[in-house]
Amino acid sequence: MEVVLLPTPENCGRVVADALQAALARARDRGTPPVLGLATGSSPLLAYRELVRRHTEEELSFADVTAVLLDEYVGLPVGHPESYREVIRRELTDAVGIDPAQVHGPDGAGPDPLAAGPAYEELLRAAGPVAVQLLGIGTNGHVGFNEPGSSLASRTRVKTLTEQTRADNARFFGGDVDAVPRHVITQGLGTILGAQHLVLVATGEGKAAPVAAAVEGPVTASVPGSVLQLHPRVTVVVDEAAGSRLALADHHRYVLEHKLADQGW
Ligand code: GLP
């Protein structure tokens, strides 16, 4: 696992954009259209802004990209501004020219959410390997919407949110916790492990404890983010605040300083 500690959230956004861009290039080098695993929440937004900038100012192309989302709320109607499909369209995919038909997420608006998980697994299998999966982390250590207690081998399925996560996400619903759906469909932890590269981004002091638990604590369903320790290629990008509880922070800074010139992300 590579842990990259950087001074500011803006630095983090640029490095995450670098990692995503590198994964696109690797997929193209292999002759496969890139599949980009996207996350919502506030953590990835600076990276998305940077990718949009590179698209508009530096001609970074997304024309051949398929985008797959990590998770979705159950019960928000299609087009609801806080449905993750809508959020990702607004924050990234429209602006970088990804065909809406090539943007996929679990179907949380349909009549049968229980069938949506297996259907999404099927779609992911058909789309081909995810070149890079971007992740945030919740204050309770969740990734995607895999709340504490989620099986480390889980696949896409319906989950019930903790009250903590609903309270954390109320800010996207005008501060009204009752407006935050109780149920979600999320890629499972086992599904996430299937991506070729995992990039987790976290900023701010509120993420210091979950980051330390996920990166340095025991691998446990009680901290779903700790599943990252089972993946062979993980990049954790944090600002100094989010990395402030890492016991090995000095070592990570040392490694970054001495990174080989062509090592990349
Ligand atoms: C949300 C999302 C996660 C996200 C996490 C952190 O509930 N389902 O994918 O990583 O919580 O959100 P934020 O980045 O806004 O802190």
Side-chain angles (χ1 to χ4, degrees), residues 1 28 34 36 56-57 62 70 79 83 88 96 111 117 123 132 140 143 150 161 177 204 212 218 223 226 230 264:
M1 183 183 298
R28 288 171 181 146
L36 206 49
T56 47
E57 293 177 17
F62 292 79
L70 265 181
S83 74
I88 207 66
V96 297
L123 182 143
V132 60
N140 63 2
V143 289
S150 294
L161 292 182
V177 73
V223 181
S226 67
L230 298 175

Side-chain angles (χ1 to χ4, degrees), residues 39-44 70-71 73 84 135-139 142-145 165 169 171-172 201 207:
T40 46
S42 40
S43 304
L70 265 181
D71 48 10
Y73 290 110
Y84 282 168
L135 299 165
I137 189 163
T139 54
H142 75 236
V143 289
F145 267 137
T165 299
N169 286 4
R171 67 189 192 281
F172 296 114
V201 60
K207 297 293 172 72

Side-chain angles (χ1 to χ4, degrees), residues 132-199:
V132 60
Q133 178 63 58
L134 185 54
L135 299 165
I137 189 163
T139 54
N140 63 2
H142 75 236
V143 289
F145 267 137
N146 293 280
E147 296 283 34
S150 294
S151 159
L152 300 179
S154 49
R155 313 300 306 184
T156 308
R157 74 253 183 260
V158 170
K159 291 293 284 181
T160 307
L161 292 182
T162 61
E163 286 304 297
Q164 174 70 56
T165 299
R166 291 181 78 216
D168 286 350
N169 286 4
R171 67 189 192 281
F172 296 114
F173 291 82
D176 178 9
V177 73
D178 293 328
V180 183
R182 218 173 281 279
H183 296 102
V184 294
I185 305 173
T186 181
Q187 283 191 32
L189 297 172
T191 316
I192 291 169
L193 287 180
Q196 292 171 325
H197 184 194
L198 301 179
V199 176

Side-chain angles (χ1 to χ4, degrees), residues 56-69:
T56 47
E57 293 177 17
E58 296 169 7
E59 296 178 357
L60 175 63
S61 172
F62 292 79
D64 55 348
V65 168
T66 295
V68 294
L69 278 172

